[in-house]
Amino acid sequence: MLKLTFLGTSAGVPTKQRNVTALAIECLNPHTSGVQQGSRQQNNQSKKSRPWVLIDCGEGTQQQLLHTKLSLHQLAAICITHVHGDHCYGLPGLLASAAMSGRREPLTLIAPKAIATLLDAITVTTELYLPFALNFVAIEEVLAEQGDTNKVNISLSDQHQLDIDITPLSHRVASHAFGITQTISRRILNTDKLVADGIPASALWGKLQQGEDVTTEDNRQLHSADYVDDEVQRTRVVVAGDNDTPNCLRKAVIDADLLVHEATYTHEVLTKIQAKNPNYDPMHSSAQLLGEFAQAAGLKNIILTHFSARYQGFDNPNSKTPNMANIRLDAESVYKDSLWLAADFDQYMVDGAIGSASSQKGSQEESRVQYIGSARSD
């Protein structure tokens, strides 16, 4: 289960209703005490078992976090899609606040090499001190590796793994998408079969569930594989940075439960901008461009974000003021499945398909995406 909290959904500059780009993704284990699928009981999960990943960190992200229940102590990784300021200017301040709040655990930062240069300059000029290790992973080095190794693994527990893969996109500077794949595995003891075989409940049951072969008091050999089913839940969300060619993601979105992608303009506005100044292309996607790609790719769920400040937050197709209805209708003209337009503090729960350990995946129809309300705690 991945829980998304949009901390900023505006492109380029903040507005009164929207901050610039940032997205928090909590990695929830439904088998941890206090977590119930399909309800809001997820908030009861112990903070120690609520690791999260931050995708981009526009200016003011740490202020946005104050309106949520997210803790910088549980932040497992930060991923920066590209070096434009509306996606990274908030990073130094957020790291400084993490230090001042007493964080000591190492933190993974996956970003372009230039972000390391930015942090080095700020460290020198402002005397920034981080009392925790910042494990910097350069995107360029990950992509340069040969074979299918363009991913970073974060082990949250023996049964809870997170893989972050990287896909190059098309923008004015090098931009990237991050594929967030959560894998939760657990062993399910077939107690009915044990009882049917005349094996009463005892400490042997626990050993079998842990994968041990055991011997009963009457010298029967019991093999764990005969009484334990390995269940795997895989949830995958792809979050794209700025990108004018959604088709760059054609491989990344295979088996994805959800795509989060920019829709900076309507297609009409994007075309006018390009025509007005042939020497300058903002290299962003329209809602229609994304919708066409998502429909052709068979994606069942998409969330649009990164909206130009020209669009007001209300949804009224009859208004003369540009607003979210223009974006929505632009996408709906070509896309016919589940579509959401993100607003700041919107939260979504993504449940991946459950299958056997041997298949490692289930059908996309078994996954689901649900809007669960606002994260604002005030």
Side-chain angles (χ1 to χ4, degrees), residues 189 194 199-228:
L189 189 64
L194 285 166
I199 305 164
S202 69
L204 295 181
W205 282 24
K207 292 181 179 180
L208 286 168
Q209 188 167 16
Q210 294 304 313
E212 296 182 36
D213 295 336
V214 299
T215 304
T216 65
E217 292 181 356
D218 56 358
N219 290 322
R220 279 192 289 170
Q221 297 292 319
L222 304 180
H223 298 285
S224 175
D226 295 332
Y227 296 96
V228 175

Side-chain angles (χ1 to χ4, degrees), residues 231-243:
E231 179 186 271
V232 173
Q233 181 177 20
R234 176 187 175 278
T235 304
R236 178 171 173 79
V237 172
V238 177
V239 182
D242 291 2
N243 177 37

Side-chain angles (χ1 to χ4, degrees), residues 82-102:
H82 64 292
V83 298
H84 281 160
D86 57 327
H87 294 257
C88 68
Y89 281 168
L91 180 59
L94 183 138
L95 293 175
S97 292
M100 294 182 70
S101 71

Side-chain angles (χ1 to χ4, degrees), residues 1-56:
M1 298 170 65
L2 296 176
K3 182 179 180 181
L4 279 60
T5 301
F6 284 86
L7 300 171
T9 57
S10 184
V13 296
T15 70
K16 291 182 179 180
Q17 290 80 31
R18 299 180 185 273
N19 199 47
V20 284
T21 301
L23 171 62
I25 302 180
E26 290 179 83
C27 308
L28 305 181
N29 187 341
H31 311 304
T32 301
S33 177
V35 181
Q36 298 177 10
Q37 288 182 294
S39 75
R40 298 197 182 187
Q41 286 296 112
Q42 294 92 356
N43 292 329
N44 294 331
Q45 187 177 2
S46 167
K47 285 187 176 182
K48 291 185 178 181
S49 58
R50 296 179 69 93
W52 59 286
V53 175
L54 179 65
I55 310 293
D56 283 334

